Amino acid sequence: MHFTQGWDNGFFYDIEYVEVWNEFYEPDFWSGTGTEAAELYEATYIAVKAALPDIKLGPSINRPLTSNPLPHDFWNYIEAHAVPVDFVSAHLYVDQPRDIEIRIHQHPDQHSWEDFFALLDHLPVDTPIVNSEWNRRIGCSLTGGNGNTVPGGAFVAGALIAMAGMHPSNSDHNLVMSHLYSARSQIWNAALQPKAPGVGLEAYAKLVTETPERLVVSDDHVVTADIDFRIMAGRSEDSRRVNLLVSYYDTSATTCPNNSHTSTTVPLTVNVTNLPWGNAPFIWKRWVHTANTALTLEASGSGAGGTFSTTQTMHANALE
């Protein structure tokens, strides 16, 4: 009420989703049982909905995949008592952008969130998922010294492209919102200059704000056990600009690539057809993430007509 209705000199923010607790499954944050966690969530749901019926509430809980009984007991109680769940708050720290897709709907052993929802009687398969925390695994992003390195930007860009592909506006999946963790140590420094992951965030923001009409991309991703290569493209509403965001993340040498793992190069050919300005002249620019703090202009040129093609050399663990 303080944040949505101005209670006690508060605010009138348009808050829609509220996560209940933080990581019930972590002993540092919850020392009770899974059943007790579910009872707390249920009591919170009833109380908050009575006062704020439009707020969506969801638990910060895991899928029951391990021998730890807490997630099992939590979900057993939710199922047995038909406790409402408006969304699930997932926290995903992973090795590659593709791992986020695996956790949401692609797990080979049917351990994804969507597979799990399908096993429950009263939660639909398209129950919304909010990644309220996501990043590279903690050892890569926060504690291993590799957070503010060029590969961190490539990971962020690739992960955002992957997650955009799972948003309900672009797919039959239901990943509705995600929050990169954490701004203080990952996105900007004290002078508000972007760190490497912040460069990835800003590059993605530039694409979706300048060119919000999403374009079809052939060969838009190549995903193997080690390589996560993705492209996303858009057109401006006035049809004067086309942007492409390319991310190439490579864990073949280590699960935590840093600036020492950007020397591998591959040829990259980009073909753009049906350019929206017909036979008019145009200019093109290629911006590359080679320094931790910014994109740098690598190449530029001009052309005319409805097609554009260029072959360049791209570095592994970088974005363009």
Side-chain angles (χ1 to χ4, degrees):
M1 293 170 65
H2 177 75
F3 282 100
T4 63
Q5 297 183 349
W7 175 80
D8 194 24
N9 296 316
F11 309 95
F12 293 90
Y13 295 139
D14 187 19
I15 294 174
E16 185 176 3
Y17 295 88
V18 174
E19 173 182 328
V20 178
W21 209 252
N22 177 63
E23 298 181 349
F24 275 123
Y25 47 86
E26 286 292 340
D28 288 346
F29 302 133
W30 180 258
S31 59
T33 67
T35 298
E36 290 169 335
E39 290 173 337
L40 174 61
Y41 169 76
E42 181 182 35
T44 304
Y45 191 98
I46 292 171
V48 173
K49 284 288 187 175
L52 303 167
D54 294 331
I55 290 289
K56 295 182 174 64
L57 290 107
S60 177
I61 189 66
N62 229 333
R63 297 155 296 145
L65 303 180
T66 68
S67 58
N68 185 335
L70 192 148
H72 293 272
D73 292 345
F74 180 94
W75 287 112
N76 287 340
Y77 183 96
I78 296 296
E79 181 76 350
H81 295 81
V83 179
V85 174
D86 297 332
F87 70 96
V88 169
S89 173
H91 294 181
L92 298 180
Y93 294 89
V94 296
D95 290 333
Q96 281 192 358
R98 75 182 186 101
D99 294 329
I100 301 175
E101 294 168 322
I102 289 172
R103 300 280 187 88
I104 299 299
H105 69 95
Q106 290 183 358
H107 200 287
D109 297 323
Q110 295 186 332
H111 289 161
S112 72
W113 274 111
E114 290 183 9
D115 289 322
F116 173 63
F117 292 148
L119 298 175
L120 302 178
D121 290 332
H122 84 288
L123 287 187
V125 174
D126 62 352
T127 296
I129 297 170
V130 173
N131 280 344
S132 56
E133 292 182 22
W134 69 271
N135 207 322
R136 294 203 287 174
R137 64 163 64 190
I138 296 296
C140 301
S141 57
L142 299 182
T143 60
N146 297 341
N148 187 26
T149 58
V150 168
F155 175 88
V156 167
L160 288 167
I161 293 172
M163 289 187 285
M166 292 183 285
H167 191 272
S169 63
N170 298 321
S171 71
D172 57 358
H173 305 295
N174 217 29
L175 179 60
V176 297
M177 184 165 35
S178 293
H179 304 273
L180 176 63
Y181 184 94
S182 82
R184 179 177 63 85
S185 56
Q186 285 280 289
I187 303 178
W188 297 286
N189 63 20
L192 296 184
Q193 296 171 320
K195 296 183 178 182
V199 174
L201 187 65
E202 289 185 351
Y204 178 85
K206 182 179 179 67
L207 184 143
V208 298
T209 56
E210 286 188 352
T211 52
E213 296 180 5
R214 192 171 184 178
L215 300 178
V216 174
V217 181
S218 301
D219 300 322
D220 61 339
H221 66 281
V222 177
V223 177
T224 68
D226 299 317
I227 306 297
D228 201 309
F229 173 84
R230 298 175 186 268
I231 304 176
M232 188 175 180
R235 179 178 64 185
S236 63
E237 293 176 344
D238 63 4
S239 296
R240 293 176 60 88
R241 179 186 293 269
V242 171
N243 283 334
L244 282 77
L245 177 62
V246 184
S247 173
Y248 175 17
Y249 195 68
D250 180 0
T251 57
S252 58
T254 173
T255 55
C256 294
N258 55 36
N259 286 347
S260 68
H261 302 105
T262 59
S263 58
T264 300
T265 59
V266 295
L268 174 65
T269 298
V270 175
N271 298 302
V272 185
T273 60
N274 300 315
L275 287 170
W277 42 77
N279 294 320
F282 60 84
I283 60 171
W284 61 270
K285 295 180 181 180
R286 180 189 179 211
W287 296 83
V288 179
H289 189 201
T290 55
N292 289 0
T293 57
L295 292 167
T296 56
L297 183 61
E298 183 82 3
S300 62
S302 60
T307 62
F308 168 71
S309 179
T310 181
T311 297
Q312 307 279 347
T313 299
M314 184 177 186
H315 285 264
N317 288 307
L319 69 92
E320 307 198 1

